[in-house]
Amino acid sequence: MQKKNQSKGFQWEYAPAPESTDTIQIKKQYELFIDGKFVKPLSKKYYETHNPSNGKSLSKIAWANEKDINQAVKAAQNAYKNVWSKMHAAERGKYIYRIARMMQERAREFAVIESMNGGKPIRESRDIDIPLACNHFFYYAGWADKLEYAFPNKNPKPMGVVGQIIPWNFPLLMAAWKIAPALACGNTVVLKPAETTPLTALKLAEIIQESGLPNGVVNILTGHGDTGKAIVNHDGIQKIAFTGSTAVGKYIQQSLAGTNKKMTLELGGKAAHIIFDDAPINQTVEGIVNGIFFNQGHVCCAGSRLFVQENIAKEVIKKLKQRMKTLIVGDPLDKNTDIGAIHSKEQLDKINFYLDLGQKEGAEIFQPNICIPSNGFYCKPTLFLNTSQSHRIVQEEIFGPILCIQTFRTIDEVIEKANNTPYGLSAGVWTDKGSKIFHLTSKLKAGVVWANTYNKFDPSSPFGGYKESGFGREGGIHGLSAYLNF
Amino acid sequence: MIPVLKTYKIFIGGQFPRTESGRYYKVHNNTNELIANMCLSSRKDFRNAVVAARKALPTWSSKTHFNRSQIIYRIAEMIEGRKSQFVEELILQGVSQQNALKEVEQTINRCVYYSGWCDKYSALFSSVNPVASSHFNFSSPEPMGVVSMICPEKSSLLGIVSIVLPAIVGGNTCVVLADEQMPLCAITLAEVLATSDLPGGVVNILTGKSSELHIHFSNHLDVNAIVYCKDNLAEIKTIQENASLNVKRCFLWNKKF
């Protein structure tokens, strides 16, 4: 694949540096992971999962129906009753440590498959997704026998069987965020990966099997929306943990009304990324790029609304445009790639819809003059300038590499604008002044506020939203309470 | 074949020197057979070890908590791999087979347990304090620095592991005096530590007599805290008095490990 990037007359060409796919194994067909075994779906149905960078099929995946879910819930109930809830907490922790270690050993394989199935650049899956997923297991393993310290005098107790439904943007990482704390707290799990990105979760199922984790403690069932619905509505499940769109989140919350099921929801976002005039411009530009173009913008906490203080707006935008001209959009498995493939045709259609809409709404569009591959699903990094609060591209979550830019003059003004959204998942602030940072962290209604950095995740740090971005926290000591009764 | 007997040396700065004093003492098992000639460490050995511990402190305390947890988990893995060696060594020092196995397993579990604490204790003990004026106020735990430690008696492995781990979890470095009568596992533990990605100097292990060294362990001005796990009241008093020289924190633990 040819990559040419032009910047001020220089022409840089990067030789392809593709990550090898020789060391990985993807089976032709994957079954459901129930009760410690890979079993054929009672539904007898399968569907294909694809590589978004070339549209080719990677494998056939079982499509679980209600009966399959029922089998999995039974297995999880038995495992909970007979084994997992009786096991000494420290031993429980040791199983989770074991899973963490085995994932670390096979990290490269996970990274390659993640990029093939999801479209994200190998640099990100290798350096961010997979290590974070391993670390998450490692972190929560340690909590298993320390819950009394986290919640003294509250007698924390597991919930039982938890149902977990995860999205396609960080397939393995989201599986780790869900499974690790649930197990550490003593629950058993029925997890559904996103329909389009089941492969790393199924690899994780293989590791879980190899780790000797008692049968039925983790069950992984692939499928589509109906599969998820069967999990949500199953009576044998005590809690639903969901990460995904706000629309589905609302549907789940409604479905669970009147039941005793607990839930945590981690939903969409439209994060404000705020740049003050005392910020170091070059680092800030890197931060803006990372904030919105990380993982093709398929990030619930992406910094998709940029607020630049008026007196530096011209310079920031100029430098941002220059920087965007050097971004490499291409093969996710190429180590030079900055922006990989858009996850699916459906998602690309949605992004293109917003690209049209933004222009119709009167915003000025900027896309760098760079090459993108002709096969597969790709989108150029995009800026919308001269946007206003009322534009739909500013109000709605696009989930793509599209940044809407507005300017501001005063702190109060930018706080008002930043909070003027139904979402509240994350925000970013760039300034030289610590006092400004602390002021904004308390005023911005967002679950995470990054200062002079963006998209930083850590197992020890809680993540979750305000308002329609959902409730409950994942990560840190806070993430434990999502899986405990008191 | 004639078995090759192991020379038990001391552990300073990641190296295994002999005591600079050239002195030794004999360790016998409970049927009075000689099992090893141990280094009878001197004041100078201790002072060298403190230099190594102080040097290692900035590196160790600035490692990420996550990294520390990985290293301590590695220690558990390494002990697991040498399980039978530790069991044999405990038996050699007079522990019953059953108790030896139990002690090694408890030791491994304790390493796993403390590995988990590395990236958690600061979340439990830190806070943003809601002060009533317009300033921002937070507090979080910091390591004390270099800790000198005198091990409990009659516990060759679990004792030393139980006092060393919490100190290094917190980012401290230490100089430890192994139990005089049962010092073998401490030195084998040093071999484990030397191969667990633990930077040299974070844990330094000496063998010798508490009756001689407790004075130096407690009066050294570059030591920030002392842990003492025996019940000799005269030594405790000396340690507490000496500690006042530079306001050392004193921890007296005489419970059974």
Side-chain angles (χ1 to χ4, degrees):
Chain A
M1 192 181 315
Q2 196 189 17
K3 294 193 195 80
K4 281 182 186 164
N5 293 283
Q6 289 177 331
S7 155
K8 284 210 166 175
F10 289 103
Q11 189 167 319
W12 300 94
E13 277 201 45
Y14 287 82
E19 176 64 53
S20 164
T21 55
D22 296 347
T23 53
I24 62 149
Q25 286 181 336
I26 300 176
K27 290 186 204 156
K28 287 205 175 103
Q29 181 173 311
Y30 281 94
E31 313 297 347
L32 305 172
F33 184 63
I34 300 175
D35 206 13
K37 290 171 279 293
F38 286 94
V39 296
K40 293 198 179 299
L42 296 171
S43 70
K44 299 197 169 110
K45 283 203 291 187
Y46 290 86
Y47 69 96
E48 299 211 334
T49 188
H50 297 94
N51 182 339
S53 71
N54 55 24
K56 284 184 190 155
S57 172
L58 289 169
S59 181
K60 268 170 72 181
I61 305 294
W63 185 339
N65 68 9
E66 276 177 27
K67 287 178 192 160
D68 295 304
I69 296 297
N70 200 31
Q71 294 296 105
V73 173
K74 272 188 201 160
Q77 283 171 328
N78 281 335
Y80 178 73
K81 207 166 60 190
N82 302 324
V83 189
W84 202 238
S85 62
K86 290 182 178 165
M87 190 180 288
H88 192 274
E91 299 298 303
R92 213 165 64 211
K94 277 155 80 178
Y95 274 115
I96 307 171
Y97 274 118
R98 213 186 261 187
I99 295 169
R101 280 304 217 204
M102 294 174 88
M103 287 171 74
Q104 286 178 324
E105 286 162 6
R106 291 171 62 174
R108 187 54 57 89
E109 182 186 12
F110 272 109
V112 173
I113 296 177
E114 198 74 304
S115 282
M116 288 172 77
N117 202 190
K120 64 175 64 204
I122 184 74
R123 227 159 16 104
E124 289 175 10
S125 52
R126 183 193 64 199
D127 298 345
I128 298 169
D129 288 59
I130 310 303
L132 271 176
C134 303
N135 297 0
H136 218 81
F137 274 99
F138 209 92
Y139 175 80
Y140 275 109
W143 271 123
D145 57 356
K146 301 178 183 67
L147 299 174
E148 285 291 342
Y149 291 91
F151 307 101
N153 304 320
K154 286 179 128 181
N155 192 20
K157 288 263 183 295
M159 291 173 163
V161 179
V162 300
Q164 306 182 317
I165 300 169
I166 57 172
W168 48 259
N169 56 343
F170 294 91
L172 184 70
L173 183 59
M174 290 300 109
W177 279 27
K178 293 284 181 287
I179 295 173
L183 296 189
C185 293
N187 305 281
T188 57
V189 167
V190 176
L191 174 122
K192 185 190 97 66
E195 58 262 36
T196 47
T197 53
L199 290 180
T200 44
L202 290 162
K203 279 274 157 194
L204 177 62
E206 288 175 10
I207 281 184
I208 285 170
Q209 199 179 35
E210 288 165 14
S211 75
L213 188 76
N215 291 345
V217 172
V218 174
N219 305 275
I220 298 180
L221 289 89
T222 44
H224 287 250
D226 56 332
T227 314
K229 203 169 160 181
I231 293 177
V232 169
N233 294 324
H234 198 291
D235 290 337
I237 287 177
Q238 274 73 47
K239 184 235 161 82
I240 297 294
F242 172 76
T243 298
S245 71
T246 293
V248 176
K250 286 178 176 175
Y251 168 81
I252 290 175
Q253 190 172 10
Q254 193 187 14
S255 304
L256 296 187
T259 71
N260 274 327
K261 285 180 205 168
K262 302 267 172 52
M263 71 189 121
T264 43
L265 303 171
E266 200 266 272
L267 311 175
K270 192 77 183 174
H273 205 171
I274 302 168
I275 319 299
F276 285 101
D277 59 5
D278 55 359
I281 303 289
N282 291 334
Q283 286 98 314
T284 304
V285 167
E286 285 306 307
I288 296 168
V289 166
N290 173 41
I292 184 63
F293 302 132
F294 175 60
N295 200 29
Q296 299 73 248
H298 303 326
V299 184
C300 47
C301 53
S304 51
R305 289 183 298 149
L306 188 72
F307 294 94
V308 190
Q309 201 151 24
E310 205 173 79
N311 51 334
I312 54 160
K314 216 172 148 187
E315 190 188 355
V316 169
I317 291 166
K318 190 181 112 203
K319 287 195 165 172
L320 184 59
K321 285 177 172 175
Q322 270 172 8
R323 178 67 180 91
M324 285 166 68
K325 286 174 193 163
T326 65
L327 290 172
I328 301 174
V329 182
D331 180 7
L333 283 183
D334 193 312
K335 290 168 217 161
N336 293 321
T337 295
D338 297 306
I339 300 178
I342 297 300
H343 176 72
S344 61
K345 175 160 189 312
E346 195 188 8
Q347 189 59 26
L348 187 58
D349 289 346
K350 185 179 163 197
I351 291 167
N352 285 332
F353 166 79
Y354 280 106
L355 288 178
D356 283 344
L357 180 69
Q359 293 172 83
K360 280 182 198 147
E361 286 183 315
E364 177 196 330
I365 191 169
F366 168 81
Q367 288 183 322
N369 183 24
I370 54 175
C371 297
I372 61 171
S374 45
N375 287 328
F377 313 126
Y378 289 92
C379 176
K380 283 185 186 179
T382 306
L383 299 183
F384 273 121
L385 303 152
N386 302 325
T387 59
S388 77
Q389 290 287 87
S390 59
H391 284 162
R392 277 182 67 193
I393 52 167
V394 171
Q395 286 295 324
E396 296 172 16
E397 186 179 38
I398 301 173
F399 228 58
I402 297 171
L403 181 64
C404 299
I405 303 182
Q406 298 177 71
T407 57
F408 69 95
R409 288 182 185 172
T410 68
I411 292 193
D412 288 343
E413 178 195 354
V414 76
I415 291 169
E416 182 75 29
K417 283 179 166 172
N419 288 336
N420 180 9
T421 164
Y423 297 110
L425 191 54
S426 61
V429 182
W430 291 78
T431 169
D432 200 28
K433 264 197 153 16
S435 54
K436 230 184 258 175
I437 292 170
F438 287 126
H439 179 62
L440 281 164
T441 46
S442 61
K443 294 285 185 225
L444 291 172
K445 297 304 159 205
V448 183
V449 181
W450 285 290
N452 295 332
T453 186
Y454 207 89
N455 277 337
K456 287 279 183 201
F457 306 97
D458 193 277
S460 66
S461 170
F463 185 88
Y466 269 63
K467 301 190 278 186
E468 293 190 18
S469 289
F471 44 73
R473 291 292 178 267
E474 294 182 295
I477 198 167
H478 312 75
L480 294 168
S481 48
Y483 291 100
L484 291 167
N485 287 326
F486 299 105
Chain B
M1 193 187 135
I2 302 171
V4 177
L5 296 175
K6 174 163 158 182
T7 310
Y8 287 89
K9 298 194 281 186
I10 55 179
F11 185 54
I12 298 176
Q15 310 283 321
F16 288 90
R18 289 195 169 84
T19 167
E20 60 79 40
S21 67
R23 304 179 304 170
Y24 74 101
Y25 72 102
K26 289 175 188 289
V27 177
H28 298 92
N29 65 7
N30 46 7
T31 55
N32 222 18
E33 288 166 273
L34 176 70
I35 51 178
N37 290 314
M38 301 302 295
C39 290
L40 185 59
S41 302
S42 63
R43 174 176 186 237
K44 176 69 177 151
D45 292 320
F46 173 67
R47 295 182 68 84
N48 289 344
V50 171
V51 170
R54 178 61 63 190
K55 196 173 159 206
L57 185 65
T59 326
W60 181 243
S61 59
S62 62
K63 278 201 183 298
T64 65
H65 291 224
F66 174 74
N67 193 211
R68 294 211 289 258
S69 81
Q70 295 269 296
I71 289 170
I72 292 174
Y73 190 77
R74 186 75 179 154
I75 296 173
E77 290 181 339
M78 293 288 110
I79 297 177
E80 180 87 49
R82 288 170 175 252
K83 207 169 175 176
S84 55
Q85 183 187 359
F86 279 112
V87 169
E88 278 173 29
E89 223 165 39
L90 285 168
I91 292 170
L92 186 65
Q93 296 174 97
V95 179
S96 74
Q97 165 108 36
Q98 197 190 356
N99 287 346
L101 185 65
K102 199 174 143 205
E103 181 168 345
V104 177
E105 282 174 350
Q106 274 184 308
T107 301
I108 295 165
N109 281 345
R110 202 148 295 180
C111 292
V112 172
Y113 174 76
Y114 277 116
S115 160
W117 271 125
C118 289
D119 51 7
K120 297 178 184 63
Y121 72 88
S122 70
L124 289 181
F125 301 120
S126 300
S127 58
V128 171
N129 309 311
V131 288
S133 72
S134 60
H135 68 283
F136 188 78
N137 182 291
F138 64 95
S139 35
S140 66
E142 296 273 329
M144 290 180 181
V146 174
V147 187
S148 64
M149 301 175 157
I150 295 178
C151 280
E153 290 170 330
K154 299 192 176 62
S155 170
S156 192
L157 179 62
L158 188 58
I160 184 169
V161 164
S162 302
I163 60 169
V164 164
L165 285 182
I168 64 174
V169 160
N172 303 282
T173 58
C174 56
V175 180
V176 196
L177 178 65
D179 177 30
E180 184 181 331
Q181 296 308 319
M182 296 177 75
L184 267 50
C185 292
I187 299 304
T188 307
L189 177 70
E191 292 160 15
V192 164
L193 301 179
T195 51
S196 299
D197 301 326
L198 189 75
V202 174
V203 177
N204 305 277
I205 302 176
L206 307 179
T207 53
K209 292 187 188 301
S210 165
S211 56
E212 173 191 358
L213 289 174
H214 75 278
I215 300 162
H216 312 306
F217 269 55
S218 54
N219 71 10
H220 195 301
L221 294 182
D222 203 25
V223 169
N224 305 96
I226 179 162
V227 176
Y228 181 80
C229 305
K230 292 167 49 164
D231 45 16
N232 183 322
L233 295 176
E235 288 186 6
I236 288 174
K237 182 151 188 286
T238 310
I239 285 171
Q240 288 176 329
E241 277 172 3
N242 283 347
S244 69
L245 288 170
N246 65 335
V247 199
K248 280 185 195 69
R249 287 102 183 101
C250 287
F251 300 89
L252 304 175
W253 290 336
N254 55 6
K255 63 182 175 187
K256 294 277 168 278
F257 286 97

